[in-house]
Amino acid sequence: MLPFSQNSHYKLSFLVLLLWVSHLVDSKSGFELDESLTYLWPLPTEFTSGNQTLTVDPTLSFSALGKGGNSKILIEGFERYKKIIFKHVSGISLFDKSRGIRSVYDISELRFIVNSDSEELQLGVDESYTLFVAKKDGKSIVGEATIECNKCTAFLRVNTLWRCTSLLANTVYGALRGLETFSQLCAFDYETKLVQIYKAPWYIKDKPRFAFRGLMLDTSRHYLPIDVIKQIIESMSYAKLNVLHWHIIDEESFPLEVPSYPKLWNGAYTKWERYTIEDASEIVSFAKMRGIHIMAEVDVPGHAESWGAGYPDLWPSSTCREPLDVSKDFTFDLISGILSDMRKIFPFELFHLGGDEVHTDCWTSTPHIKQWLNDQNMTAKDAYQYFILKAQEIAISENWTPVNWEETFNSFPSKLNPRTIVHNWLGPGVCPKAVAKGFRCIFSNQGAWYLDHLDVPWNEVYSAEPLEGINNVSEQNLVLGGEVCMWGETADTSDVQQTIWPRAAAAAERLWSKREAVSARNITLTILPRLHYFRCLLNRRGVQAAPVTNKYARQPPIVAGSCYEQ
């Protein structure tokens, strides 16, 4: 606190701040939710609601029909969400002040209909679901909610049970997305001490707008422990993000174990800041249980100085250490070994090969590489192309689809393998050019979706549109989606979640919900209150999401106040 003995400018500033704080404190009890808004995030594709309030039994039971009903993914998902929903209540009937012990609840069973028993998790897996929540009538024995995972359009009431007219089988991953929505409908009432669902009955028919909805996580600039990565994956599922792009290694450190070349992780910061192959497999399994892909990245030929800590022959010279030495077969043998080992861990069909920010001065200034370039009749740019295409061949031989940062497309689009997925980052306008040439594209415009840019406000994240400038429907279909990028120079365990959330949620709704629904004219009135609410939901679930509207992302609160107004 500034003393009043300082100059008048500081006195005035202090008084203004004091009045502002006093106003906030005086108005702290006046916050109300806007009942005209739907507080589900991301916003479902189609939904209707009513005006009833239903109670949910804390001993909520689970039943499933169809081939997918016995899925471990589904069963564990239900138990996981049950702990979230009933965090504040016990598993016994609660005391009702007006009627004594309560024994009848409106919702006592959550019923799943999952016709497919496939648990294959690949790009474009069907994540659609239909959720119906209604109060039991007088003829019904129990109340129930149904998550129907096979694109039904009608429910028939037969023998007091909800049954579905099936049209097309769906997956357990759609059921997980429906579970998340159901959990957001459930709210604990602190006065009655009951879990309630407001605005029932609900009918929700939902599916994602884009197949690829990602978050990139950088574990090279700062090592992140396994438990932290799991926490981030868990939080991704709350916003229905479905791809963790794991930027495991970079020039600063090489923390991953590679059995074929065990000295590579000599490039880790310390012997304690490493990932074993078992660690990586555990992360992949943990993510799959939540319907989340892991897309690994090995960035070549630049951003690779750390590789030489174990294998110095990869450096052009001891004083000029990247890009990787393009002239040696050993370089590509080692890349082949890395990808072969990683293929045993990462089943996702996409693999990121980087290819960005390749500065070729070391190639042209190192005598043996300069001689090799002359012998091959190559310029440094030719060698860059040669390296990228050779790395792509290795990835494709491992049955991977290569993803490359946009510099590769900007430099030699006609030479790239036609299977290449172009990953935009430098700015807008790249995806329109890429899809026009038949390439698929991932949108990550750094001006809006780089989370380490702390001065980008939530509304700019929300307004960024992956299909901007693409009007042809067939070309729009080549945009897989997008991802927000959490580069790690200034983010570690202490602040990574605060930096990711809630701005990542803004992109998540853009990628899931219909374009018309997320392009309202005044998003301050229609979207911001909902984002405040979702941020508080993340906080309640233990996610360290920062205030929504502070000038800089991850900045802590500057005054006292409600979570819903920060």
Side-chain angles (χ1 to χ4, degrees), residues 403-476:
V403 183
N404 282 102
W405 295 109
E406 69 174 72
E407 286 95 326
T408 58
F409 171 79
N410 296 338
S411 299
F412 41 88
S414 63
K415 301 298 183 180
L416 286 173
N417 188 289
R419 294 173 59 181
T420 303
I421 297 172
V422 178
H423 193 169
N424 151 253
W425 75 276
L426 284 170
V430 174
C431 281
K433 294 177 182 177
V435 298
K437 291 185 177 293
F439 291 103
R440 290 176 291 175
C441 192
I442 297 170
F443 175 87
S444 290
N445 176 8
Q446 66 170 335
W449 283 10
Y450 266 33
L451 299 174
D452 58 311
H453 294 191
L454 303 181
D455 59 345
V456 177
W458 74 271
N459 55 298
E460 292 183 17
V461 178
Y462 194 89
S463 299
E465 172 51 51
L467 296 185
E468 184 177 2
I470 306 173
N471 299 316
N472 181 284
V473 174
S474 62
E475 293 180 357
Q476 289 179 345

Side-chain angles (χ1 to χ4, degrees), residues 252-256 264-271 273-274 306 309:
E252 290 84 358
S253 74
F254 196 116
L256 182 67
L264 277 170
W265 70 355
N266 290 1
Y269 287 123
T270 65
K271 64 182 180 180
E273 295 170 290
R274 291 173 169 175
S306 63

Side-chain angles (χ1 to χ4, degrees), residues 65 111 137 139-141 144 154-165:
L65 301 174
R111 177 176 299 247
D137 61 26
K139 300 177 182 179
S140 180
I141 299 173
E144 65 183 42
F155 287 89
L156 301 178
R157 191 66 193 273
V158 181
N159 296 329
T160 75
L161 294 178
W162 288 104
R163 293 183 179 176
C164 179
T165 303

Side-chain angles (χ1 to χ4, degrees), residues 273-496:
E273 295 170 290
R274 291 173 169 175
Y275 305 106
T276 65
I277 55 173
E278 292 81 10
D279 290 334
S281 295
E282 185 179 344
I283 287 172
V284 170
S285 297
F286 183 89
K288 182 178 180 179
M289 296 300 290
R290 289 146 183 83
I292 293 175
H293 312 278
I294 303 292
M295 179 176 70
E297 178 178 0
V298 173
D299 195 349
V300 293
H303 291 279
E305 180 179 342
S306 63
W307 300 32
Y311 297 96
D313 283 350
L314 295 168
W315 290 333
S317 71
S318 60
T319 57
C320 205
R321 298 183 171 186
E322 62 181 16
L324 296 170
D325 192 331
V326 66
S327 70
K328 293 178 181 175
D329 290 339
F330 174 66
T331 300
F332 297 99
D333 291 342
L334 185 140
I335 291 173
S336 181
I338 293 174
L339 267 59
S340 178
D341 285 352
M342 294 181 78
R343 197 61 175 112
K344 299 178 180 69
I345 304 170
F346 299 102
F348 189 40
E349 65 198 75
L350 307 188
F351 191 88
H352 209 301
L353 290 168
D356 63 312
E357 297 181 322
V358 178
H359 307 295
T360 56
D361 292 348
C362 283
W363 289 348
T364 56
S365 63
T366 303
H368 77 272
I369 299 180
K370 185 175 182 180
Q371 183 61 50
W372 181 85
L373 290 172
N374 289 334
D375 293 345
Q376 303 298 320
N377 195 27
M378 284 187 187
T379 65
K381 183 178 179 180
D382 294 333
Y384 170 45
Q385 174 185 306
Y386 167 80
F387 201 116
I388 294 297
L389 298 184
K390 199 166 180 67
Q392 286 193 336
E393 289 175 5
I394 295 170
I396 291 170
S397 73
E398 295 289 348
N399 200 29
W400 262 321
T401 297
V403 183
N404 282 102
W405 295 109
E406 69 174 72
E407 286 95 326
T408 58
F409 171 79
N410 296 338
S411 299
F412 41 88
S414 63
K415 301 298 183 180
L416 286 173
N417 188 289
R419 294 173 59 181
T420 303
I421 297 172
V422 178
H423 193 169
N424 151 253
W425 75 276
L426 284 170
V430 174
C431 281
K433 294 177 182 177
V435 298
K437 291 185 177 293
F439 291 103
R440 290 176 291 175
C441 192
I442 297 170
F443 175 87
S444 290
N445 176 8
Q446 66 170 335
W449 283 10
Y450 266 33
L451 299 174
D452 58 311
H453 294 191
L454 303 181
D455 59 345
V456 177
W458 74 271
N459 55 298
E460 292 183 17
V461 178
Y462 194 89
S463 299
E465 172 51 51
L467 296 185
E468 184 177 2
I470 306 173
N471 299 316
N472 181 284
V473 174
S474 62
E475 293 180 357
Q476 289 179 345
N477 292 335
L478 293 175
V479 179
L480 298 181
E483 71 177 31
V484 286
C485 298
M486 184 63 266
W487 295 104
E489 285 86 348
T490 65
D492 67 0
T493 298
S494 70
D495 62 359
V496 65

Side-chain angles (χ1 to χ4, degrees), residues 124-157:
V125 67
D126 193 342
E127 298 174 90
S128 64
Y129 67 92
T130 301
L131 172 62
F132 183 77
V133 182
K135 187 176 183 179
K136 66 184 180 67
D137 61 26
K139 300 177 182 179
S140 180
I141 299 173
V142 295
E144 65 183 42
T146 301
I147 295 179
E148 183 272 313
C149 301
N150 46 20
K151 290 188 177 178
C152 281
T153 57
F155 287 89
L156 301 178
R157 191 66 193 273

